[in-house]
Amino acid sequence: MMRGLLATLALSLGLPMAQAACQFDNFGTISNPTDPSCRDAQFRYTRSDNTGNNVALGYDVPLPVDSLTPVDGFRSYQSLFERHQALDADNSTVAGQVVGQTLAGRDVWVYVIGDADRTTADGGSEAAALINGTIHAREWQSPEAVTEIYEQLVEIQADGGFGQYLSENLSVLIVPVLNVDGFTQTQRYPDRFTGAERQPRDGRMRRKNMQSPGGVPVDEDIDATTDNFFGVDLNRNSPRGWGLNGGSSNNPVSLVYRGPAAQSEPEIQALVAASDLAPVTRLRFFSDVHSFSQIFFTPLTGNGRRDQITANLVGRMRAVLGNKYRYGAESGSGIGLTSDYFARTFQIPAWTLEIEPLSGGVDYGGTNHGHSGFVLPDDQVARMRDEVASMVLAGLYRQTDAPRVQAVEIRDQASGELRYAASWVADGDGRRLDVSTDQALVTGRAYRLWLAFNRPMRWRDPAGAVSNYPGQSTAAFPNLRLQFPTLTGAGSDIPISGSGSNWLDTPGGAGSGFLRYRDDALSVAFTVPQDLPAAAAVPGVLVIETLDIVMAALDGDPTSRVDWAGGRWIGYEDEDGNANDVGGRDCKIVVYVASDENATPPASRDVGCSSAQAPAPPPANGGGGGGGGLVLWLLPFLLIGAWRQRRRR
Amino acid sequence: MSRRRTGVTFGVFVFALCVAWSTTVAAAPGAKRTEAAKAAKATSGGRYEQMARKSAALVAASDTQGLAAHLRQLKSDAALDDAARERLLRATVLELATLTPQSDIETEIRSLSGYQTKTWITEYEHGHPERFPAYDVAAAARFVEQRWQETTARKTAAAAIGRADTAVVDRYISGSATERQGFEEAFAAATPERVAVYADDLERRLTAGAPVAGLARVVALASGDEALLEAVILDAPPQEALRALATIDPAGGSPATLTILAAAAERDATASAALLKIAPLATTDTSARRLLFDALDGPHGASAAAALARGNDPGIIDELAGLLRNSDDELQRRRALLALRLTDNERSRDHLRAFARGPETPTSLLAEVPSWLRQ
């Protein structure tokens, strides 16, 4: 008894008498994988039993639950797969497709979510987003979060607002489980692992796929130990940095073994096949969903505009959860990550999203043994799923398109007579403003303005009140003004005031309801001042300045369609026509005002708007919070610079 | 050492530190990894081995006073570097979880629960460097404190169970999460006869909404009380209900099993799991099969379809194909289609091919077939 206890403690303390099981070289690779003391070592997760080779987590060991519907915990692969298939079979807006087979011959599926036409509601070419899940087998947070995104997109697709907008204007391609063989292996042994506590490997802690150097896949028997360390790290198998920069290993037993060649693995080939369905030319969002460490880790490609757009986009997404997720950027040439491939090859916003926890099981009161962060407690799973989905949906909305004005109508408040009506219509590759009614607005009279945009512009809380999307800060009512550039002095710039209640959440179209989506239009009354010096008709510019749900400013010139190419927005301009990736105000709607309702229109309305009201761009990174990798990277140079300065004195 | 050399050394040190901290992974991989390697090798040296042996001996002897003194010594032993010290502290602390605490050792553990880690490991598995404590002494100490509380509660509850003291349920309700865990462990370890006396009371309280779900589940399992288990499945919060449901073995269950599962299939939170539990019965039990077919056009019809598919039964496949061909209910047809897709054998594929070729097959359903047939 005494001897057994001593041996147990000696093992955990790493005393020489136990031969210390697995040994590690300076690069963190196991250096004695064939030594039986390492090769055959087996451990078991428990709630609170640390004796022998048991490893106490400090909370219940999560076990897969067979349920298609979400549970407060993790679902089995089979029931997750059945859920994905059910959503596909039940919804014409989902198209599932096999994009490859794993080493064991299991299908890898992608689900394309969105209406079938691949064109936007106004006839443009739809954007596409690709979300990849479960590339690393043990990261169980990933399939749950990615499935939640899939579920929510389907659930909200006919909500008449935000969800319907996404469905009609964006194709979202979701690969819920890429590493099917590895994931099923982790679920086969949900409380067992091999290797070492410092670097747990097969069973619940398998990270890699089931590839082995001999070409025969790793067997699924955890007790057949000769091949337990093998497998390719699928997130080191992509081109763009493959085998470079010290981020991977050529040792087949390494946790970060890159494989014999870039894209050698069938799972990675399947991911590429999935992206081809977008097609890649339409992609402008890629997220590889991992756990853990709570960070958006983003390759910098050297394309300044892409990098800044990505930083802004991630900033908006991080803000959804109060910046609890960090932002990290990597400026090298990559290490073969999938995000390296998509960011650098296609110049699109792409990242590795590491889901919570930040530090490990200790974040939930656990023991913080090595790698406990991969074992999220059951009671955190439902919250985690919702949080990740709300972040990602914000990002998808942002990348679908830029906000812009779609139509305007002005009616006499008293008589209801239509005085002005215009809408943007397709014209070749772009648009033109089609003004169907153009009558003078008369001084001293009250009017009702109906203003419609191309997308839902406001979010509503569960009670139905106009509110902010979590973490965003958009004024309830736009900054609307009627400016008279040919006049000077007081009265040449009239604000049109309203509140959140002016946004329209009932259908009805022009004049009374929303145009296409709930909250894509507002209706507000205004009066043209009696004392406006408008004996002769003067042009009046309707200056529209607002941010959308995720704080993107308007495309100032809808004449050119907003699209994505070369790592930047194209056709996304401010009010002066400058392409700037952040938009500006809309000054394209020019009415005219006179003291007589039958006045002749002014000779020219090419007057522009004043530049006094420049929109404040949203903060790049959600207003602070962790991360700061670049700053840290610069820190040594700054310190050394300071030290050299001091020496010169 | 000259002033200039000190400055250079300091600069290099700061540089290395910041490289290790940076989220940039591209530079100096070898340099970055030495920190981890150093921490991992913190087991060498005579002093380390001497102190490790002492820990082992004191734990084996359950000498908590000696361990308290030993922990104090480890904290301040100048002959140990930080990595070795923290490895020894953590391993020794974790071993204390099974010992009965005395005041000396409780004080030491409380003190260590706020221990500030000095030795960190930088991991690169995430594609970027992330720092973690090499040996999280504080987390280990907090775990031991929690385990001691659980053990105390377990002993208290075990004594109460021995006396058939019904007030133990009230104490469970008013206890902390940690104490409840200890209580549940005590009930799980007691004999069926001892815990059975609590079943009726727990069922009554559970259905009245009292927070006894965890204990009720444990008692139901320990006593084999099916009525209580059913009450947990139907009335407990979803997570407890699902845990209870997971314990049901349909194949080896009693005749009441299908009744319980059928009731669980009516509860939204457990319906999917319950229908999947019924799956193994569907090939042999006609009432189970009927239940699943009847559920196809219900709110959890997809789960019923998945359950029917799991049996891989020719008769079920043919019946599903009949529904697909002949039903005038679009939802039911979609669910039949789903079940055939999920069955994924030659028989089901034959049915799907025939369906796809049928002149009256609606386009909306036809679109769902080719991807599954790899056409």
PDB file of all heavy atoms in Angstrom, chain A residues 370-398:
ATOM      1  N   GLY A 370      -2.909  20.593 -17.440  1.00  0.00           N
ATOM      2  CA  GLY A 370      -2.541  20.922 -18.803  1.00  0.00           C
ATOM      3  C   GLY A 370      -3.675  20.658 -19.776  1.00  0.00           C
ATOM      4  O   GLY A 370      -4.285  19.598 -19.753  1.00  0.00           O
ATOM      5  N   HIS A 371      -3.981  21.641 -20.597  1.00  0.00           N
ATOM      6  CA  HIS A 371      -4.939  21.491 -21.687  1.00  0.00           C
ATOM      7  C   HIS A 371      -6.397  21.334 -21.233  1.00  0.00           C
ATOM      8  O   HIS A 371      -7.231  20.910 -22.016  1.00  0.00           O
ATOM      9  CB  HIS A 371      -4.547  20.324 -22.592  1.00  0.00           C
ATOM     10  CG  HIS A 371      -3.231  20.547 -23.267  1.00  0.00           C
ATOM     11  ND1 HIS A 371      -2.041  20.498 -22.592  1.00  0.00           N
ATOM     12  CD2 HIS A 371      -2.923  20.834 -24.544  1.00  0.00           C
ATOM     13  CE1 HIS A 371      -1.044  20.742 -23.426  1.00  0.00           C
ATOM     14  NE2 HIS A 371      -1.553  20.961 -24.611  1.00  0.00           N
ATOM     15  N   SER A 372      -6.696  21.686 -19.991  1.00  0.00           N
ATOM     16  CA  SER A 372      -8.079  21.570 -19.539  1.00  0.00           C
ATOM     17  C   SER A 372      -8.995  22.517 -20.296  1.00  0.00           C
ATOM     18  O   SER A 372     -10.209  22.351 -20.276  1.00  0.00           O
ATOM     19  CB  SER A 372      -8.181  21.848 -18.036  1.00  0.00           C
ATOM     20  OG  SER A 372      -7.677  23.141 -17.749  1.00  0.00           O
ATOM     21  N   GLY A 373      -8.421  23.492 -20.968  1.00  0.00           N
ATOM     22  CA  GLY A 373      -9.253  24.423 -21.731  1.00  0.00           C
ATOM     23  C   GLY A 373     -10.020  23.755 -22.848  1.00  0.00           C
ATOM     24  O   GLY A 373     -11.012  24.295 -23.339  1.00  0.00           O
ATOM     25  N   PHE A 374      -9.570  22.586 -23.261  1.00  0.00           N
ATOM     26  CA  PHE A 374     -10.309  21.868 -24.307  1.00  0.00           C
ATOM     27  C   PHE A 374     -11.553  21.182 -23.755  1.00  0.00           C
ATOM     28  O   PHE A 374     -12.363  20.676 -24.516  1.00  0.00           O
ATOM     29  CB  PHE A 374      -9.409  20.822 -24.975  1.00  0.00           C
ATOM     30  CG  PHE A 374      -8.262  21.433 -25.730  1.00  0.00           C
ATOM     31  CD1 PHE A 374      -6.952  21.161 -25.382  1.00  0.00           C
ATOM     32  CD2 PHE A 374      -8.491  22.299 -26.784  1.00  0.00           C
ATOM     33  CE1 PHE A 374      -5.892  21.737 -26.068  1.00  0.00           C
ATOM     34  CE2 PHE A 374      -7.445  22.884 -27.475  1.00  0.00           C
ATOM     35  CZ  PHE A 374      -6.138  22.604 -27.115  1.00  0.00           C
ATOM     36  N   VAL A 375     -11.654  21.116 -22.433  1.00  0.00           N
ATOM     37  CA  VAL A 375     -12.782  20.412 -21.818  1.00  0.00           C
ATOM     38  C   VAL A 375     -13.672  21.438 -21.113  1.00  0.00           C
ATOM     39  O   VAL A 375     -13.588  21.654 -19.912  1.00  0.00           O
ATOM     40  CB  VAL A 375     -12.286  19.340 -20.823  1.00  0.00           C
ATOM     41  CG1 VAL A 375     -13.448  18.460 -20.372  1.00  0.00           C
ATOM     42  CG2 VAL A 375     -11.200  18.478 -21.453  1.00  0.00           C
ATOM     43  N   LEU A 376     -14.507  22.077 -21.907  1.00  0.00           N
ATOM     44  CA  LEU A 376     -15.422  23.078 -21.353  1.00  0.00           C
ATOM     45  C   LEU A 376     -16.495  22.367 -20.527  1.00  0.00           C
ATOM     46  O   LEU A 376     -17.064  21.377 -20.986  1.00  0.00           O
ATOM     47  CB  LEU A 376     -16.087  23.836 -22.511  1.00  0.00           C
ATOM     48  CG  LEU A 376     -16.886  25.090 -22.181  1.00  0.00           C
ATOM     49  CD1 LEU A 376     -15.960  26.224 -21.773  1.00  0.00           C
ATOM     50  CD2 LEU A 376     -17.723  25.514 -23.377  1.00  0.00           C
ATOM     51  N   PRO A 377     -16.777  22.853 -19.328  1.00  0.00           N
ATOM     52  CA  PRO A 377     -17.843  22.200 -18.543  1.00  0.00           C
ATOM     53  C   PRO A 377     -19.183  22.275 -19.263  1.00  0.00           C
ATOM     54  O   PRO A 377     -19.483  23.257 -19.932  1.00  0.00           O
ATOM     55  CB  PRO A 377     -17.870  23.017 -17.249  1.00  0.00           C
ATOM     56  CG  PRO A 377     -16.583  23.741 -17.184  1.00  0.00           C
ATOM     57  CD  PRO A 377     -16.152  23.972 -18.602  1.00  0.00           C
ATOM     58  N   ASP A 378     -19.980  21.243 -19.074  1.00  0.00           N
ATOM     59  CA  ASP A 378     -21.294  21.177 -19.728  1.00  0.00           C
ATOM     60  C   ASP A 378     -22.117  22.443 -19.517  1.00  0.00           C
ATOM     61  O   ASP A 378     -22.780  22.929 -20.437  1.00  0.00           O
ATOM     62  CB  ASP A 378     -22.096  19.982 -19.175  1.00  0.00           C
ATOM     63  CG  ASP A 378     -21.696  18.676 -19.834  1.00  0.00           C
ATOM     64  OD1 ASP A 378     -21.223  18.703 -20.984  1.00  0.00           O
ATOM     65  OD2 ASP A 378     -21.863  17.620 -19.187  1.00  0.00           O
ATOM     66  N   ASP A 379     -22.087  22.954 -18.289  1.00  0.00           N
ATOM     67  CA  ASP A 379     -23.005  24.054 -17.990  1.00  0.00           C
ATOM     68  C   ASP A 379     -22.569  25.389 -18.598  1.00  0.00           C
ATOM     69  O   ASP A 379     -23.231  26.408 -18.388  1.00  0.00           O
ATOM     70  CB  ASP A 379     -23.225  24.183 -16.473  1.00  0.00           C
ATOM     71  CG  ASP A 379     -21.942  24.459 -15.713  1.00  0.00           C
ATOM     72  OD1 ASP A 379     -20.903  24.699 -16.362  1.00  0.00           O
ATOM     73  OD2 ASP A 379     -21.968  24.436 -14.474  1.00  0.00           O
ATOM     74  N   GLN A 380     -21.471  25.387 -19.322  1.00  0.00           N
ATOM     75  CA  GLN A 380     -21.040  26.608 -20.008  1.00  0.00           C
ATOM     76  C   GLN A 380     -21.353  26.564 -21.504  1.00  0.00           C
ATOM     77  O   GLN A 380     -21.162  27.559 -22.212  1.00  0.00           O
ATOM     78  CB  GLN A 380     -19.518  26.805 -19.831  1.00  0.00           C
ATOM     79  CG  GLN A 380     -19.047  26.819 -18.397  1.00  0.00           C
ATOM     80  CD  GLN A 380     -19.596  27.992 -17.622  1.00  0.00           C
ATOM     81  OE1 GLN A 380     -19.710  29.103 -18.143  1.00  0.00           O
ATOM     82  NE2 GLN A 380     -19.980  27.758 -16.377  1.00  0.00           N
ATOM     83  N   VAL A 381     -21.781  25.398 -21.977  1.00  0.00           N
ATOM     84  CA  VAL A 381     -21.827  25.192 -23.430  1.00  0.00           C
ATOM     85  C   VAL A 381     -22.927  26.019 -24.105  1.00  0.00           C
ATOM     86  O   VAL A 381     -22.686  26.667 -25.130  1.00  0.00           O
ATOM     87  CB  VAL A 381     -21.994  23.696 -23.753  1.00  0.00           C
ATOM     88  CG1 VAL A 381     -22.104  23.486 -25.260  1.00  0.00           C
ATOM     89  CG2 VAL A 381     -20.809  22.908 -23.207  1.00  0.00           C
ATOM     90  N   ALA A 382     -24.127  26.030 -23.546  1.00  0.00           N
ATOM     91  CA  ALA A 382     -25.233  26.746 -24.191  1.00  0.00           C
ATOM     92  C   ALA A 382     -24.920  28.238 -24.284  1.00  0.00           C
ATOM     93  O   ALA A 382     -25.132  28.871 -25.332  1.00  0.00           O
ATOM     94  CB  ALA A 382     -26.522  26.513 -23.409  1.00  0.00           C
ATOM     95  N   ARG A 383     -24.395  28.795 -23.203  1.00  0.00           N
ATOM     96  CA  ARG A 383     -24.029  30.224 -23.226  1.00  0.00           C
ATOM     97  C   ARG A 383     -22.947  30.482 -24.274  1.00  0.00           C
ATOM     98  O   ARG A 383     -23.030  31.428 -25.059  1.00  0.00           O
ATOM     99  CB  ARG A 383     -23.537  30.649 -21.839  1.00  0.00           C
ATOM    100  CG  ARG A 383     -23.039  32.076 -21.774  1.00  0.00           C
ATOM    101  CD  ARG A 383     -22.268  32.355 -20.491  1.00  0.00           C
ATOM    102  NE  ARG A 383     -21.236  31.387 -20.205  1.00  0.00           N
ATOM    103  CZ  ARG A 383     -20.060  31.340 -20.833  1.00  0.00           C
ATOM    104  NH1 ARG A 383     -19.784  32.222 -21.776  1.00  0.00           N
ATOM    105  NH2 ARG A 383     -19.173  30.421 -20.521  1.00  0.00           N
ATOM    106  N   MET A 384     -21.941  29.612 -24.261  1.00  0.00           N
ATOM    107  CA  MET A 384     -20.851  29.774 -25.222  1.00  0.00           C
ATOM    108  C   MET A 384     -21.375  29.767 -26.662  1.00  0.00           C
ATOM    109  O   MET A 384     -21.002  30.606 -27.480  1.00  0.00           O
ATOM    110  CB  MET A 384     -19.825  28.659 -25.000  1.00  0.00           C
ATOM    111  CG  MET A 384     -18.670  28.591 -25.993  1.00  0.00           C
ATOM    112  SD  MET A 384     -19.039  27.770 -27.567  1.00  0.00           S
ATOM    113  CE  MET A 384     -19.345  26.093 -27.053  1.00  0.00           C
ATOM    114  N   ARG A 385     -22.256  28.802 -26.939  1.00  0.00           N
ATOM    115  CA  ARG A 385     -22.808  28.710 -28.305  1.00  0.00           C
ATOM    116  C   ARG A 385     -23.489  30.013 -28.703  1.00  0.00           C
ATOM    117  O   ARG A 385     -23.258  30.546 -29.792  1.00  0.00           O
ATOM    118  CB  ARG A 385     -23.864  27.596 -28.347  1.00  0.00           C
ATOM    119  CG  ARG A 385     -23.350  26.209 -28.605  1.00  0.00           C
ATOM    120  CD  ARG A 385     -24.498  25.281 -28.994  1.00  0.00           C
ATOM    121  NE  ARG A 385     -25.558  25.258 -28.017  1.00  0.00           N
ATOM    122  CZ  ARG A 385     -25.792  24.257 -27.161  1.00  0.00           C
ATOM    123  NH1 ARG A 385     -25.023  23.189 -27.172  1.00  0.00           N
ATOM    124  NH2 ARG A 385     -26.788  24.320 -26.312  1.00  0.00           N
ATOM    125  N   ASP A 386     -24.339  30.527 -27.813  1.00  0.00           N
ATOM    126  CA  ASP A 386     -25.084  31.752 -28.125  1.00  0.00           C
ATOM    127  C   ASP A 386     -24.143  32.935 -28.326  1.00  0.00           C
ATOM    128  O   ASP A 386     -24.339  33.759 -29.221  1.00  0.00           O
ATOM    129  CB  ASP A 386     -26.070  32.081 -26.996  1.00  0.00           C
ATOM    130  CG  ASP A 386     -27.272  31.145 -27.016  1.00  0.00           C
ATOM    131  OD1 ASP A 386     -27.508  30.507 -28.059  1.00  0.00           O
ATOM    132  OD2 ASP A 386     -27.972  31.046 -25.991  1.00  0.00           O
ATOM    133  N   GLU A 387     -23.145  33.011 -27.479  1.00  0.00           N
ATOM    134  CA  GLU A 387     -22.226  34.145 -27.572  1.00  0.00           C
ATOM    135  C   GLU A 387     -21.450  34.127 -28.884  1.00  0.00           C
ATOM    136  O   GLU A 387     -21.324  35.152 -29.562  1.00  0.00           O
ATOM    137  CB  GLU A 387     -21.257  34.128 -26.382  1.00  0.00           C
ATOM    138  CG  GLU A 387     -21.925  34.499 -25.068  1.00  0.00           C
ATOM    139  CD  GLU A 387     -20.952  34.609 -23.903  1.00  0.00           C
ATOM    140  OE1 GLU A 387     -19.751  34.286 -24.078  1.00  0.00           O
ATOM    141  OE2 GLU A 387     -21.395  35.007 -22.818  1.00  0.00           O
ATOM    142  N   VAL A 388     -20.923  32.974 -29.229  1.00  0.00           N
ATOM    143  CA  VAL A 388     -20.135  32.896 -30.465  1.00  0.00           C
ATOM    144  C   VAL A 388     -21.028  33.198 -31.666  1.00  0.00           C
ATOM    145  O   VAL A 388     -20.647  33.946 -32.575  1.00  0.00           O
ATOM    146  CB  VAL A 388     -19.471  31.509 -30.607  1.00  0.00           C
ATOM    147  CG1 VAL A 388     -18.792  31.375 -31.967  1.00  0.00           C
ATOM    148  CG2 VAL A 388     -18.450  31.291 -29.497  1.00  0.00           C
ATOM    149  N   ALA A 389     -22.233  32.642 -31.652  1.00  0.00           N
ATOM    150  CA  ALA A 389     -23.139  32.878 -32.785  1.00  0.00           C
ATOM    151  C   ALA A 389     -23.472  34.359 -32.915  1.00  0.00           C
ATOM    152  O   ALA A 389     -23.505  34.892 -34.028  1.00  0.00           O
ATOM    153  CB  ALA A 389     -24.409  32.052 -32.620  1.00  0.00           C
ATOM    154  N   SER A 390     -23.694  35.043 -31.792  1.00  0.00           N
ATOM    155  CA  SER A 390     -24.058  36.460 -31.898  1.00  0.00           C
ATOM    156  C   SER A 390     -22.892  37.277 -32.443  1.00  0.00           C
ATOM    157  O   SER A 390     -23.093  38.235 -33.196  1.00  0.00           O
ATOM    158  CB  SER A 390     -24.540  37.014 -30.553  1.00  0.00           C
ATOM    159  OG  SER A 390     -23.492  37.045 -29.628  1.00  0.00           O
ATOM    160  N   MET A 391     -21.673  36.894 -32.099  1.00  0.00           N
ATOM    161  CA  MET A 391     -20.504  37.577 -32.675  1.00  0.00           C
ATOM    162  C   MET A 391     -20.421  37.340 -34.174  1.00  0.00           C
ATOM    163  O   MET A 391     -20.217  38.260 -34.968  1.00  0.00           O
ATOM    164  CB  MET A 391     -19.208  37.036 -32.039  1.00  0.00           C
ATOM    165  CG  MET A 391     -18.788  37.705 -30.784  1.00  0.00           C
ATOM    166  SD  MET A 391     -17.041  37.402 -30.415  1.00  0.00           S
ATOM    167  CE  MET A 391     -16.928  35.630 -30.407  1.00  0.00           C
ATOM    168  N   VAL A 392     -20.541  36.084 -34.550  1.00  0.00           N
ATOM    169  CA  VAL A 392     -20.341  35.732 -35.956  1.00  0.00           C
ATOM    170  C   VAL A 392     -21.461  36.309 -36.828  1.00  0.00           C
ATOM    171  O   VAL A 392     -21.199  36.805 -37.931  1.00  0.00           O
ATOM    172  CB  VAL A 392     -20.231  34.198 -36.117  1.00  0.00           C
ATOM    173  CG1 VAL A 392     -20.248  33.793 -37.586  1.00  0.00           C
ATOM    174  CG2 VAL A 392     -18.947  33.703 -35.459  1.00  0.00           C
ATOM    175  N   LEU A 393     -22.694  36.299 -36.328  1.00  0.00           N
ATOM    176  CA  LEU A 393     -23.787  36.864 -37.123  1.00  0.00           C
ATOM    177  C   LEU A 393     -23.560  38.352 -37.379  1.00  0.00           C
ATOM    178  O   LEU A 393     -23.864  38.856 -38.457  1.00  0.00           O
ATOM    179  CB  LEU A 393     -25.133  36.642 -36.425  1.00  0.00           C
ATOM    180  CG  LEU A 393     -25.651  35.202 -36.399  1.00  0.00           C
ATOM    181  CD1 LEU A 393     -27.039  35.139 -35.753  1.00  0.00           C
ATOM    182  CD2 LEU A 393     -25.715  34.585 -37.783  1.00  0.00           C
ATOM    183  N   ALA A 394     -23.018  39.045 -36.397  1.00  0.00           N
ATOM    184  CA  ALA A 394     -22.702  40.467 -36.600  1.00  0.00           C
ATOM    185  C   ALA A 394     -21.687  40.620 -37.720  1.00  0.00           C
ATOM    186  O   ALA A 394     -21.795  41.507 -38.575  1.00  0.00           O
ATOM    187  CB  ALA A 394     -22.181  41.083 -35.308  1.00  0.00           C
ATOM    188  N   GLY A 395     -20.687  39.754 -37.728  1.00  0.00           N
ATOM    189  CA  GLY A 395     -19.666  39.815 -38.769  1.00  0.00           C
ATOM    190  C   GLY A 395     -20.225  39.469 -40.143  1.00  0.00           C
ATOM    191  O   GLY A 395     -19.867  40.096 -41.150  1.00  0.00           O
ATOM    192  N   LEU A 396     -21.102  38.502 -40.192  1.00  0.00           N
ATOM    193  CA  LEU A 396     -21.703  38.116 -41.478  1.00  0.00           C
ATOM    194  C   LEU A 396     -22.534  39.272 -42.048  1.00  0.00           C
ATOM    195  O   LEU A 396     -22.468  39.580 -43.240  1.00  0.00           O
ATOM    196  CB  LEU A 396     -22.585  36.872 -41.299  1.00  0.00           C
ATOM    197  CG  LEU A 396     -21.846  35.568 -40.963  1.00  0.00           C
ATOM    198  CD1 LEU A 396     -22.844  34.447 -40.683  1.00  0.00           C
ATOM    199  CD2 LEU A 396     -20.900  35.157 -42.096  1.00  0.00           C
ATOM    200  N   TYR A 397     -23.301  39.899 -41.166  1.00  0.00           N
ATOM    201  CA  TYR A 397     -24.116  41.053 -41.599  1.00  0.00           C
ATOM    202  C   TYR A 397     -23.207  42.143 -42.168  1.00  0.00           C
ATOM    203  O   TYR A 397     -23.469  42.719 -43.212  1.00  0.00           O
ATOM    204  CB  TYR A 397     -24.917  41.551 -40.404  1.00  0.00           C
ATOM    205  CG  TYR A 397     -25.596  42.891 -40.578  1.00  0.00           C
ATOM    206  CD1 TYR A 397     -26.846  42.988 -41.185  1.00  0.00           C
ATOM    207  CD2 TYR A 397     -24.983  44.058 -40.125  1.00  0.00           C
ATOM    208  CE1 TYR A 397     -27.466  44.228 -41.324  1.00  0.00           C
ATOM    209  CE2 TYR A 397     -25.593  45.282 -40.263  1.00  0.00           C
ATOM    210  CZ  TYR A 397     -26.833  45.382 -40.866  1.00  0.00           C
ATOM    211  OH  TYR A 397     -27.436  46.600 -41.009  1.00  0.00           O
ATOM    212  N   ARG A 398     -22.102  42.390 -41.454  1.00  0.00           N
ATOM    213  CA  ARG A 398     -21.204  43.446 -41.908  1.00  0.00           C
ATOM    214  C   ARG A 398     -20.656  43.161 -43.300  1.00  0.00           C
ATOM    215  O   ARG A 398     -20.548  44.051 -44.145  1.00  0.00           O
ATOM    216  CB  ARG A 398     -20.036  43.604 -40.915  1.00  0.00           C
ATOM    217  CG  ARG A 398     -18.991  44.612 -41.353  1.00  0.00           C
ATOM    218  CD  ARG A 398     -19.589  46.020 -41.369  1.00  0.00           C
ATOM    219  NE  ARG A 398     -18.794  46.981 -42.127  1.00  0.00           N
ATOM    220  CZ  ARG A 398     -18.947  47.221 -43.429  1.00  0.00           C
ATOM    221  NH1 ARG A 398     -19.867  46.556 -44.132  1.00  0.00           N
ATOM    222  NH2 ARG A 398     -18.219  48.118 -44.049  1.00  0.00           N
TER     223      ARG A 398
END
